[in-house]
Structures are given as structure tokens and as C-alpha cells.
Amino acid sequence: MATSLSSPKLSTTLSSPTFHSLYKTKFSNFSLLSLTNPIKPLRFNFLSHPRTSSLSYGRRFTTTRAESSNGSETPRHYDFDLFTIGAGSGGVRASRFASNFGASVAVCELPFSTISSDSTGGVGGTCVLRGCVPKKLLVYASKYSHEFEESCGFGWNYEAEPKHDWSTLIANKNAELQRLTGIYKNILKNADVTLIEGRGKVVDPHTVDVDGKLYSAKNILISVGGRPFIPDIPGSQYAIDSDAALDLPTKPDKIAIVGGGYIALEFAGIFNGLKSEVHVFIRQKKVLRGFDEEIRDFVGEQMSLRGIEFHTEESPQAIVKSADGSLSLKTNRGTVEGFSHIMFATGRSPNTKVYSAFCW
């Protein structure tokens, strides 16, 4: 039976002296964006309207002042002080910090899935569910093949060549993701943040629609991240992205990876270590554009020595699926056939859609 993987436990305590000192300040000028910029001093102001009252730590509030047509002020009630759309690393952190400083907060997120779509996501977001964490687990798995080979020089002998079971790796990886998304839900619960499952849609500057139910908020934070981008070329429906590459039902026999950035190279190393035949197609002469030239040369050279084949200065033009199910990749320099999978690692696009325009 597959054993579960483990990772360091997350902590929700605020042990930093910086945060303790914040409790003594007057919370009159707060900006959530300051949380992402450690260079600028943290300043707090959930209520940006000049006629709103100041925020005191630990006190919940849902009423602000709005100016009527005759110049007088009338109270307006909001369901929440802050409504966050997206419960990834950024959305979870912003929501719980806001709640810790006294705001009433809600966050919405799509149902859990290992592969993102218009209807699926999961608390934890890309990094936890479809990025850093599962990728590292696959990296760890791929390293063993090289260590097995090196161990022979240290006196180790194997009666049979070690074999890898892909289904065990993926099952344990998914079990770990379920554990981590549960931790993130508990973090929100312990911070007194309301978690709402569904797709959030901004209706107006103070209203969010989550699958047909409306919620009002003084502030709306969009924290939906991005999704992998696949160019619109003939046959692109046969390609996979990094989401799918982390959750394939079977290990690729021969895979083409389009892209020369670090995501493409990480996956090339993973599948190479798991004994897949790997081809990398890049538009440039060398990998890792923008990196130090010596690093670019060294990485490309070492990966080639590991058996990864690079196709330089080649841009994809089409993907063709044969009758036997194999895939061919056509580029500006020719066609390479016989792939079981073709993966694109060509950047990401915002995970947003514009439904209609409205005035703020």
C-alpha cells in the first residue's frame, strides 16, 4: 500500500517583533498591498473613505458612512469589510492578516482539483496544489534513479534494476495535496475568515456574486493568480500544460517540452530522471533567457549529458495526432514524430474573465 508523504507543518502564529509592534500603532492608514512589499513600512487603513471611522484591533465593524444627494451622511451596511476572490497563497495570507487586525473577512474559492479549470481550483492555489509542492515531490522521485546509478561505484549491487511505479507516486502526491488543502482551510477557520466555495464574480465596486448568491463588501481583493498558457496553434488540444503534467495517469514514454525557462527545464529533469525520453524545443540558441550566461551554458551542457535532447531555435507550428495515438510536433525546422505527450511551458495568463463593464 502506498505510504503518505509528509512536509513541514505550517504555523499560524505571529511571532515576529514587527507584528507585535503593530498592535501598538493607530490603525488609520492601511493598505493590503503593503503586505507584499517589505521595503515600504506597513501602513493600515481598511476604511479609505475620509468619513469612515478608524479601525481598532479586535473590533468587528460592518457599517460605514456614505454621502447622500443632499450632502448628509447615511449609514451603509456591508456583509464583510473585505471579500477576497481566490484562496491561493496570496489570498489566504491577505485574508487572515486582515481578520487578525479586526476586519470581517470572507474568501471564495473553487472546489478542489489537482488540475485547474473554470470550475475547479482549491484552497491553497497554484503553489500548493499545482506548482512548487507537487513539483518538488516529483523532483525527489526523479533523483533516485541517478543515486541508484552512482551507488554502484560505492559498492552497491542490485540483483534487479530498480523499477518505478508512477501510480504510487501520483497517489501519494495527491494524498499530500489533500492534507495541505485541509491545513489551509483550518488556517482560515482559526483566523475567523469565512470560506465560501464557488466562483466569484465582481458585480459592482462593493458586490461579489458567488454562483448566484450576492455578498456586499467595503473592499474587494482579487487574488486569482494565473493559469498555464498554451499557444493557439493547430492541434493545440492535444498538448498538456504543467497542471496536467503533474497528474498524468501514466508516465510519458517520449515527451516533447516546448519552452526554455526554468519550468520547462524542471519538468525535463523530472521526466528524464524517471526514464522518459525527453526532447526540449526552444526559440533561442540557449536555455534560460535572461539568466547569467555561464549558468545558461552549464545547465544546457549538463542536461544534454544526462540524455535530454535540445532542439534550439525551433518554434512550434502544429501538433498532429496519428492513427496509433502518437503525436508529432511540427516546427519551423521540420517535424519530430513519436511523442506520447507534448507539454507547453510557455508562460501563464491571468485567471480572470471580463463579463461586462461597469462604472466605479
Side-chain angles (χ1 to χ4, degrees), residues 240-295:
I240 62 172
D241 57 27
S242 58
D243 279 16
L246 290 167
D247 203 45
L248 293 171
T250 58
K251 185 189 73 174
D253 294 322
K254 179 180 179 181
I255 184 170
I257 299 178
V258 181
Y262 63 90
I263 299 298
L265 299 191
E266 284 177 327
F267 277 95
I270 288 171
F271 290 121
N272 172 257
L274 295 174
K275 303 302 183 180
S276 299
E277 181 180 341
V278 180
H279 295 248
V280 178
F281 293 79
I282 61 176
R283 294 180 297 174
Q284 309 294 319
K285 292 183 179 180
K286 294 187 289 186
V287 299
L288 298 175
R289 183 183 64 174
F291 282 68
D292 179 86
E293 289 300 315
E294 290 186 7
I295 292 177

